[in-house]
Structures are given as C-alpha cells and as structure tokens.
Amino acid sequence: MRILLLCSSFNGLTQRAWLELRRAGHDVSVELALSEQVMLEAAQLAKPDLVICPFLKEKVPSRLWRTQRTIIIHPGPPGDRGPSSLDWAILDAEPEWGVTALQAVEEMDAGPIWGYRTFPMPAEPPRKSALYNGPVADAAVELVLEVAAKAADPSFLPTPLDYGRPEVRGRLRPGMRHADRQFSWNEPTDAVLRRVRAADGAPGGRALLCDLPVRVFDVYRGPALSGPPGTVAGRREGAVLVHTGDGTVWVGHLRRDEPGAVKLPAATVLGEHLATAGEVSGYSEITYDRGEHVGVLSFDFYNGAMSTDQCRRLASALRYAAAQDTRVLVVRGGEVFSNGIHLNVIEAARHPEMEAWMNINAINQVCRQIIECTGQLVVTSLGGNAGAGGVMMGLGADRVLIREGVVLNPHYRTMGLFGSEYWTYVLPRRVGAATARRLTRDALPIGAPEALATGLADVVLPGPRLDFERAVLAEAERLAQDPGYEAMLAAKREGREQDELRKPLDAYRVEELAEMSRDMFDDRHGFRAARQAFVLKHKPEATPEHLAAHRDLVGGSGAPATVASHM
C-alpha cells in the first residue's frame, strides 16, 4: 500500500515505523505536520491508501480524516485520552499501561479502535523518555504493522470506543499544567523521583535549587543522608547530590526556568552556587566490571550526548580496560548508545566553535582507543539507538552486537558536518566505499536488520535491554573461550598493522579534522543554525530535504522541500 506518515517530528518511533513498513513492502512517505495546509497538501500529493500518525501532537484536519483513513497511535490503553498520557501514567504509578491505534475523528483520541497493546509498568518510576523509547515504541511499531495489515482487509471494521467494554479502562485526562510538575525538596525521595521522571525529556520537573528556579531532569536515588532539604550535599561528574525530605537524589541535568535556557549538566547550571560543594562518591556515568575472561566497560550519558569532559573520562577508562589481562572487552552504552558530540554544551559555551573543536578531538580519542585495542577482542553492545559519531565509535570494535529494534543514523549531513571519529576508516572497512557514500549522503535511518545486511552489525539479538545485555555477555564469554581465540587476536593485530602501513590513523584524523574545521569555524554547511535549531527546539519550516527527496525516489509525489532542518 501507499502509506503516508504524518508526524510532529521524525523521531525514533517514527523512524522505526518508517523502517518496518518499508521492510513489509509498503511505499511509505513522510511529512511533518507543520500546519493544516501542509497536512492536506501532503495527502493530496501522496494519494495514500492509508495515513498513519505514529507521533502527532497536532489535531488532524477534518478535511483529511473525512476523506482518508487516518490512524492515530496514542500512547495509552483503550479509553485513555489527552496530551499527557505518559506523564500521568508515571505520576499516578499505574501498574499497567498500553498503546492504542485509533481512527481519527472530530473528538481527540475518541475514534474507533483498530488495535491495542498493554504492558506492565515497572515498580521503580521510569523516565518518560525510557518508557516512550522502550515498551511504548515496541508496542507502537507492532500496532503500525497490524493497522497496515487490517487496512488491506476489506472486511475489517474497527471497534467503536465503548467505556462499557472491560478492556476500555482508560479515561480522559487533562493536559499536565506547570503546577502539576512543581515539587518541593521537602517531599520524600520517591515522590521527587516520580515527579521528575514523569517530565523527563521534556519539560522537566519544576523546583527551586540554590534559590534558582530550575527545570530538573535525570535524577537517581542517592544515599540516605540527612540534611536540610533542597541543599546540595556534594557533586560528581557534572551531577549534584541534593537533600530531600528523607534522603538524597542525584540530579544529572538542569535547565534554568527562563526563556532560551539550555538543558545542561547540573553543576554547570549551578556554577558559582557550588563553591562550597565538595566531590563525593556514589555516582558514576562510567563503570568497569571485570570477570575472569571478560571486562565490561559501561557508560551511560544522558540522551547519548558526549561532552569534552565525558569523552576524556571515557578515553581514560578505555585505556585502563585495555591494559587489563582479560580476553574480551565489552563496550556497553546506556538507554541511548551514543549520539556523538554534546550540542547543548557546545551551544552554551562562551566560544561554541572552540568547544565543538575540543569536543570532536576528545571523542576521536575515545574512538582511537577502541580501534587500537589489540590486546583483547572488543565487542560493542548497542542496546540503544545511536547517531552520527556515536555509530562510528561503535564500528571501531571487532564485533558489533545490536538489539532488535535499535535505530542507527550513520551520517552527519543533517547537522552540516563532514564528520570525524575515524568514520572514513571504520565505515568503508565494514560496508565498502559505495555503501558508506550512500549511508552518509542519504542521511536516512537504518534498522537492526539493515545494519546486519550491510555489515554495520555482526549479530542482532532480540529482547528488552536487560535481556540483550545478558545475551551480549554470554556471546563475549563464548568468544573469549573459543578455541580459535588466539588466531582471531593474531589476525586482528596483523590487520591493524597492515591498515596502518597502508594509511595511518593519523592521516584519517588529519583529513577529517581539516574538513571539520571548515564546518565548525567557517560554517560552510550551516552547522551553527542546525545546532541552534536542535538545541533550542526550533520548529522546522518544512519537511527536511533528505526526507522530501527520498519521498520522490520511492514513488511519492511532491517537490523536495527547499529548507532543511535537523531533527
């Protein structure tokens, strides 16, 4: 079928839906729902058999849903309605939640039901972003495929919304207000965690800290220390430890509650207010666990962004891990594996271009540590999405293991950058020069099956992230005890030596940085505007050029957009 995806942004969920529908053989085009007129014109041009809205904040125009079958993917169980579904689910400690596919009608979220999925909610309050990118996205993608299959069946009729049915347990909930996100540090730790995590990603919990009105993100349970609630007990690696009513919480990120403010590491936002706060232990973004044969270096950077400081710490940890006498080193990312350099920290710096330059040089050191680790076999564990330099960082390993459902964006073009991280070495080495050119030129997402088929990944493993990580560890143990281990390690060393003789890593680095200096300092491809649009959440002016152009290539109609925006 011809399917039009209408979305507020081409986010991770929309990318997965796009990939899965294309994999199922459908002709899929994408349009950002920038206005009622844009949505109507997109449908007129694409002439779809079906319109699916996997992530849509805007109301579908009545002229569209009256003439085209339009299905909304709503992040709530049957009967749930309203724009803050996940926020309320976390805040109210719902034991079960779900996702519903429903047909668009005049009343928001009240249309006939095409299908639904439910899943248990964790006892520990999840971050809204983790809930959305995990069980919600998994259920939504299943529903998108189910909807496409049902749409092809002329006998299928959706089920009208009926609150008398036992499976319809949701209700209409209001949009969450500023007051609903406000909390006091006098509250118990559990209440603080739930309030902040219900707003994590955006817009954040609201509180006062060091007499500053702030938005609070990225919180973790701290030790049971006593102290005046709302005071800072210490700091570590950019995070601050704050007293609550019955203990402490680590706060990783803050944003001043004022227009134009940028979300940054908490210690950066508080700045001089932390003059008397000392370094304390108990929090680390980077850990190393050593077994008999396998060492696991884990890093978990918020939203996958890696600042200069974080890159330097990770490079140091990699040097330590590579010096151990284990046989296999697993390099494991967090909820998001990595998205490369930290655009928020760069934008907030006094000299953004210089900070970007330091950041790219620091992340290059991380990538080089992985490539040059010849005393062990290296496995990268991609249990979360990755983009730009984060993909290239993972490709430096001997084995790349990726979780089913993960989306990779192995390109830099939409941010106006040539790219570094030794991508001109590691990408063609895995996929060949022609495919490397295509991936970086087209700037389109790649799913796990495509990553396996092209050579970006060696193994795809199913299951939720914890199951995936256990499977990766088992694979690493198997590799460490493989009878051919010594031969594999010898071949790795020889291959690295031959590659270095053919063209030294320093040559790749110098060539890439020469291009990056023109992008960062001369701004030849719009890096400054793309970075600001991303950091400050500017609304795009049109569907990005690379998506619009692809729409033409796959058979959709309409001219490519003339204004490109990074998402």
Side-chain angles (χ1 to χ4, degrees), residues 129-153:
S129 57
L131 183 64
Y132 181 81
N133 293 318
V136 168
D138 291 343
V141 169
E142 286 185 14
L143 281 173
V144 164
L145 292 174
E146 180 181 319
V147 163
K150 286 177 174 177
D153 179 3

Side-chain angles (χ1 to χ4, degrees), residues 166-440:
E167 71 271 17
V168 181
R169 299 194 296 269
R171 66 182 189 275
L172 174 62
R173 301 170 188 249
M176 199 168 272
R177 304 161 301 169
H178 287 317
D180 297 315
R181 304 191 188 278
Q182 189 82 33
F183 70 92
S184 166
W185 299 106
N186 290 292
E187 296 176 48
T189 296
D190 285 349
V192 173
L193 288 173
R194 194 167 291 281
R195 185 76 60 177
V196 174
R197 289 180 178 174
D200 215 324
R206 303 180 75 220
L208 283 174
L209 187 56
C210 298
D211 294 324
L212 296 174
V214 292
R215 296 281 184 161
V216 184
F217 309 86
D218 188 23
V219 294
Y220 300 87
R221 195 180 304 275
L225 303 176
S226 60
T231 60
V232 175
R235 58 190 293 177
R236 182 173 172 81
E237 296 182 359
V240 295
L241 185 64
V242 183
H243 287 290
T244 65
D246 63 355
T248 61
V249 291
W250 284 101
V251 177
H253 284 75
L254 295 169
R255 175 170 61 81
R256 291 207 179 201
D257 203 354
E258 58 189 39
V262 176
K263 187 192 303 183
L264 294 166
T268 301
V269 173
L270 296 179
E272 61 189 23
H273 296 279
L274 298 179
T276 60
E279 289 279 331
V280 294
S281 61
Y283 171 89
S284 184
E285 296 173 307
I286 304 169
T287 59
Y288 178 73
D289 297 300
R290 175 180 168 156
E292 183 180 358
H293 302 294
V294 176
V296 181
L297 182 65
S298 302
F299 61 95
D300 192 355
F301 300 133
Y302 187 65
N303 290 338
M306 299 171 63
S307 68
T308 302
D309 178 63
Q310 288 169 320
C311 290
R312 288 170 177 167
R313 286 191 277 110
L314 183 55
S316 178
L318 281 164
R319 282 191 290 272
Y320 174 82
Q324 306 307 302
D325 61 355
T326 51
R327 295 164 72 87
V328 174
L329 171 60
V330 175
V331 180
R332 174 195 289 166
E335 178 188 324
V336 178
F337 180 79
S338 171
N339 281 321
I341 58 177
H342 203 310
L343 299 177
N344 282 35
V345 169
I346 290 168
E347 182 61 27
R350 180 173 297 180
H351 300 293
E353 288 74 25
M354 183 56 69
E355 179 59 36
W357 183 250
M358 292 192 298
N359 201 163
I360 201 67
N361 277 275
I363 200 171
N364 279 353
Q365 285 300 309
V366 173
C367 298
R368 188 156 188 160
Q369 288 297 322
I370 294 173
I371 294 169
E372 293 190 328
C373 177
T374 56
Q376 306 174 44
L377 293 179
V378 181
V379 173
T380 45
S381 173
L382 275 71
N385 295 349
V391 176
M392 308 310 171
M393 182 176 78
L395 298 185
D398 305 296
R399 300 282 190 279
V400 177
L401 275 57
I402 185 171
R403 185 174 64 83
E404 189 177 56
V406 161
V407 175
L408 306 179
N409 278 278
H411 55 81
Y412 303 83
R413 184 166 71 88
T414 55
M415 192 47 66
L417 293 173
F418 175 82
S420 195
E421 293 98 358
Y422 299 95
W423 79 264
T424 54
Y425 171 62
V426 297
L427 186 58
R429 181 180 67 164
R430 277 195 156 266
V431 305
T435 301
R437 282 194 297 272
R438 176 177 61 80
L439 292 174
T440 52

Side-chain angles (χ1 to χ4, degrees), residues 40 43-44 48-49 51 61-70:
L40 291 170
Q44 290 168 0
D49 302 303
V51 178
S62 60
R63 284 172 56 195
L64 177 57
W65 61 257
R66 289 183 190 278
T67 57
Q68 303 276 355
R69 286 184 300 182
T70 302

